[in-house]
């Protein structure tokens, strides 16, 4: 399976590298070198070794019996929540830190929303002894405090982004500005399948391990590598693209991407970038984004900091456009309900982001023989404040 | 003749160009600022088209952009305001901004309207060269607009030569690896970059921007290039001075 953009980074009409000249040299270096580096035997070996012994992969594919009974079908949970640091984000940071080392970079910067990518970046920087600066919207610093404290303990410097809504997009802008100001020694470790080419492809290839494992694990469970559905939430789209990747050519596998509707897709307080988006350029890529008729980016809203982003990775805009993916959405309250349901039925507290994927289940029609894989992209520890409030405790 | 070409034909050094964001300090200040800049002796102006996510800009221009958007500025409003600008202002005028609002306006419609109102050139830092060539260049040429490319200390000599061959008007030389923002002085690492580029013998004039803020930095920059652009320092003056009409003359006299 090789789902890749063309040499200019386009998936159909989406993607590319819309970057100012100040970033050109850095991005060009990555464009020229990333495939050779990540396809080299040495890189592959080290990447696999760290995924196995440091991250704890393969992550289990768990048959959720009580949840399956509830929805009268067969639901398997891909347990990315059990990875070291608590989400799928570490798959990408391991890959990119090895790449950064190959490129001789000394300083790592990242943006983060929920803080999961920030923690995963701070973790691999500690592992490799590299300096780490994480940009995080001030709003998110407040709503994801446990992750801020983890990053600090791991030795990262957390810089609150004070522009816009002070959430994920603004953290991304600050990281890009940081990179413009520090072009020679710094690698920008982007946390999702967004940004200028080659990031969407780079991150997709590191996250593709999720679907690679699902295939053989499912075969062990059911005798077939192919499910009927793969369901994942999308913020920028990295866990979803990772979970879809090795199924893209298997046209009978329905790929379901669940966006954060916030208070509702039509409420004006939403992060449903495909449902409410139009074509344009955001943070270096041509894709779907929420914008005004004048081309100003609309500030998104979601209860989930990791999904609170007005754009979507260009590969997802493409998969949606060609009809390969099914895009659904879940509101704040639907996601909360789904989080409590999984906790009650299976004893698993999911991240609020992953809860959006689960919230699509009651809106779908399954037959008793269907095989449904839901990607549990992360665990809910960081969201306990929100959950406690929702319980009225 | 395009006014940018005409300017560089008749003047080859100490060209002072000023950047400000349209719609700031007030929605309707744009044309008044242009008139004031011309009568103060400024040679060329870049009018910023505000964008919600100006990722190549530092805090001063970010702030001016978000205030301008709050005031109701957009490309549509700006081009309407500029409808009669050529009855008042004769110096070259450029629009500078980010690609997304231009895409939403429509590239051809944008070029057409720019040429109708008398805009001479456009700077869109996040429009890459290959995409410009593929789907923009034809409109810019059709409507006689100069598209200005940036170079930075990281731009290789080969790429600078490529940009030179594709450029007309002038080349915008970003003074250091940085977002926009005023700096008090020019450092020695910048000087070696200025000398390197000067030594390439390019066909296009060079104008240095980013970090130019006062008489010292302006004069220093002009010793390596045909002129320089002041942005953040001027925008800051507009933000901080209650009587900006009076402030513009004072600011320009302080530099020239
Ligand atoms: C647990 C978890 N899931 C999902 C996401 C959304 O990111 P993506 O769409 O790139 O998977 C995040 C982002 O912070 C996250 O922490």
């Amino acid at each position: 399976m090789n789902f890749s953009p063309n040499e200019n980074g386009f998936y159909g009409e989406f993607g590319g590298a819309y970057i100012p000249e100040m970033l050109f040299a850095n991005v060009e270096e990555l464009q020229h070198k990333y495939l050779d580096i990540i396809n080299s035997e040495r890189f592959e070996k080290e990447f696999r070794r760290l995924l196995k012994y440091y991250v704890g992969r393969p992550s289990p594919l768990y048959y959720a019996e009580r949840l399956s009974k509830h929805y009268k079908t067969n639901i398997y949970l891909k347990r990315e929540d059990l990875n070291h640091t608590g989400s799928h984000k570490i798959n990408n940071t391991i890959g990119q830190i090895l790449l950064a080392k190959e490129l001789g970079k000394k300083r790592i910067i990242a943006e983060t929303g929920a803080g999961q990518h920030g923690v995963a970046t701070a973790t691999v920087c500690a592992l490799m002894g590299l300096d780490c600066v994480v940009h995080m919207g001030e709003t998110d610093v407040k709503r994801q405090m446990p992750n801020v404290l983890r990053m600090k303990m791991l030795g990262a410097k957390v810089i609150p982004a004070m522009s816009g809504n002070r959430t994920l997009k603004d953290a991304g802008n600050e990281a890009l500005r940081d990179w413009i100001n520090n072009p020679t020694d710094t690698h920008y470790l982007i946390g999702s399948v967004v940004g200028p080419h080659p990031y969407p492809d780079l991150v997709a290839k590191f996250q593709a391990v999720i679907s690679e494992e699902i295939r053989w694990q499912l075969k062990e469970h059911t005798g077939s590598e192919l499910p009927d559905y793969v369901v994942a939430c999308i913020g920028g789209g990295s866990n979803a693209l990772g979970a879809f990747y090795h199924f893209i050519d298997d046209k009978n596998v329905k790929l379901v991407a669940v966006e954060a509707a916030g208070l509702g897709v039509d409420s004006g307080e939403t992060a449903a970038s495909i449902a409410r988006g139009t074509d344009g350029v955001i943070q270096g890529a041509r894709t779907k984004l929420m914008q005004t008729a004048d081309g100003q980016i609309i500030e998104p809203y979601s209860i989930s900091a990791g999904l609170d982003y007005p754009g979507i990775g260009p590969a997802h805009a493409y998969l949606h456009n060609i009809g390969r993916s099914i895009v659904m959405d879940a509101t704040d309250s639907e996601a909360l309900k789904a989080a409590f349901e999984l906790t009650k039925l299976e004893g698993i507290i999911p991240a609020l982001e992953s809860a959006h994927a689960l919230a699509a289940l009651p809106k779908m029609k399954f037959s008793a023989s269907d095989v449904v894989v839901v990607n549990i992209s992360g665990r809910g520890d960081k969201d306990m404040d929100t959950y406690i409030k929702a319980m009225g405790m | 003749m395009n006014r940018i070409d005409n300017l560089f034909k008749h003047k080859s050094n100490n060209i002072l160009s000023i950047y400000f964001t349209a719609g700031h300090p007030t929605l309707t200040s744009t044309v008044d600022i242009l008139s004031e800049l011309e009568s103060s002796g400024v040679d060329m102006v870049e009018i910023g088209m505000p964008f919600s996510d100006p990722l190549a800009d530092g805090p001063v221009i970010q702030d001016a952009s978000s205030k301008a958007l709050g005031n109701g500025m957009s490309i549509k409003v700006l081009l309407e305001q500029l409808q009669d600008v050529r009855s008042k202002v004769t110096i070259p005028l450029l629009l500078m901004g980010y690609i997304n609002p231009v895409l939403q306006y429509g590239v051809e419609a944008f070029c057409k309207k720019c040429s109708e109102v008398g805009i001479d050139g456009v700077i869109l830092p996040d429009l890459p060269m290959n995409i410009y060539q593929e789907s923009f260049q034809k409109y810019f040429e059709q409507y006689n607009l100069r598209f200005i490319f940036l170079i930075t200390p990281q731009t290789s000599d080969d790429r600078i030569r490529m940009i030179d061959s594709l450029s007309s008007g002038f080349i915008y030389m970003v003074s250091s690896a940085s977002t926009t923002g005023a700096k008090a002085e020019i450092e020695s690492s910048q000087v070696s970059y200025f000398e390197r580029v000067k030594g390439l013998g390019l066909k296009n004039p060079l104008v240095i921007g980013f970090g130019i803020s006062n008489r010292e930095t302006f004069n220093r920059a002009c010793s390596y290039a045909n002129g320089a652009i002041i942005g953040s320092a001027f925008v800051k003056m507009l933000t901080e001075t209650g009587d900006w009409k009076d402030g513009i003359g004072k600011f320009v006299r302080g530099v020239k």
Side-chain angles (χ1 to χ4, degrees), chain A residues 21 169 173 177 291 296-297, chain B residues 52-54 100 104 159:
Chain A
E21 187 63 27
K169 164 181 72 83
N173 288 345
R177 290 181 185 123
Q291 58 183 327
Q296 307 299 338
I297 297 172
Chain B
S52 55
D53 294 75
N100 194 53
Q104 304 313 316
R159 186 170 163 85

Side-chain angles (χ1 to χ4, degrees), chain A residues 86-89 112-117 191-193 233-240 305-307 351 353-354 377-379 382:
Chain A
S87 82
H88 69 294
K89 297 285 181 187
T112 196
Q116 286 304 110
H117 175 60
S192 191
V193 287
C233 67
I234 32 174
S238 68
N239 88 87
L307 305 182
E353 290 77 19
S354 322
S377 55
R379 66 176 88 125
K382 68 183 176 62

Side-chain angles (χ1 to χ4, degrees), chain A residues 46-98:
Chain A
E46 186 60 3
F47 181 55
R48 295 286 165 171
R49 185 184 73 84
L50 287 170
L51 286 186
K52 182 169 175 188
Y53 295 105
Y54 188 71
V55 175
R57 300 203 73 90
S59 67
L61 183 70
Y62 163 72
Y63 179 65
E65 200 176 326
R66 301 220 311 144
L67 193 69
S68 295
K69 205 166 268 160
H70 182 76
Y71 287 105
K72 301 189 174 58
T73 189
N74 305 289
I75 299 173
Y76 292 84
L77 304 177
K78 181 59 175 163
R79 300 290 310 276
E80 292 299 303
D81 58 312
L82 294 178
N83 293 339
H84 179 40
T85 71
S87 82
H88 69 294
K89 297 285 181 187
I90 190 99
N91 304 329
N92 168 46
T93 61
I94 292 275
Q96 280 199 53
I97 205 75
L98 294 175

Side-chain angles (χ1 to χ4, degrees), chain A residues 8 10 17-22 24-25 163 169-170 173-174 176-177 180-181 183-184 278-281 283 286 289 291-297, chain B residues 50-57 62 69 74 99-101 103-104 125-128 130-131 134 150-152 154-155 159 163 174 177-179 210:
Chain A
N8 293 322
F10 281 91
Y18 292 79
I19 44 156
E21 187 63 27
M22 292 77 109
F24 181 83
S163 52
K169 164 181 72 83
D170 311 300
N173 288 345
E174 291 308 326
L176 284 164
R177 290 181 185 123
I180 287 173
N181 284 283
T184 49
T278 49
D279 294 5
V281 170
Q283 291 177 343
R286 188 169 184 131
L289 63 135
Q291 58 183 327
T292 65
D294 294 327
Q296 307 299 338
I297 297 172
Chain B
F51 181 48
S52 55
D53 294 75
L55 56 84
D57 284 302
Q62 283 176 43
L69 292 172
S74 66
I99 183 64
N100 194 53
L103 286 176
Q104 304 313 316
D126 59 345
L127 176 61
N130 58 334
I131 294 174
E134 254 170 52
L150 273 53
I151 60 172
T152 81
Q154 275 68 45
T155 311
R159 186 170 163 85
I163 287 172
V174 176
S178 124
T179 43
F210 285 42

Side-chain angles (χ1 to χ4, degrees), chain B residues 132-205:
Chain B
Y132 168 75
Q133 286 175 289
E134 254 170 52
S135 38
F136 282 65
Q137 191 173 0
K138 54 177 183 274
Y139 300 122
F140 279 80
E141 286 173 0
Q142 182 182 340
Y143 293 103
N144 197 28
L145 293 169
R146 300 289 168 263
F147 188 80
I148 308 301
F149 288 99
L150 273 53
I151 60 172
T152 81
Q154 275 68 45
T155 311
S156 68
D157 288 359
D158 282 352
R159 186 170 163 85
I160 293 176
R161 288 215 165 82
M162 206 154 82
I163 287 172
D164 188 42
S165 70
L166 194 64
S167 294
S168 54
F170 62 93
I171 289 176
Y172 192 131
M173 189 168 167
V174 176
S175 70
S176 66
S178 124
T179 43
T180 56
K183 294 199 177 69
E185 55 189 86
I186 285 176
E187 293 164 14
S188 59
S189 60
Q190 291 173 271
V191 168
S192 60
Y193 153 62
F194 296 163
E195 282 172 343
R196 168 169 71 91
V197 176
K198 195 178 175 188
L200 292 176
L202 304 177
K203 73 174 165 83
N204 283 283

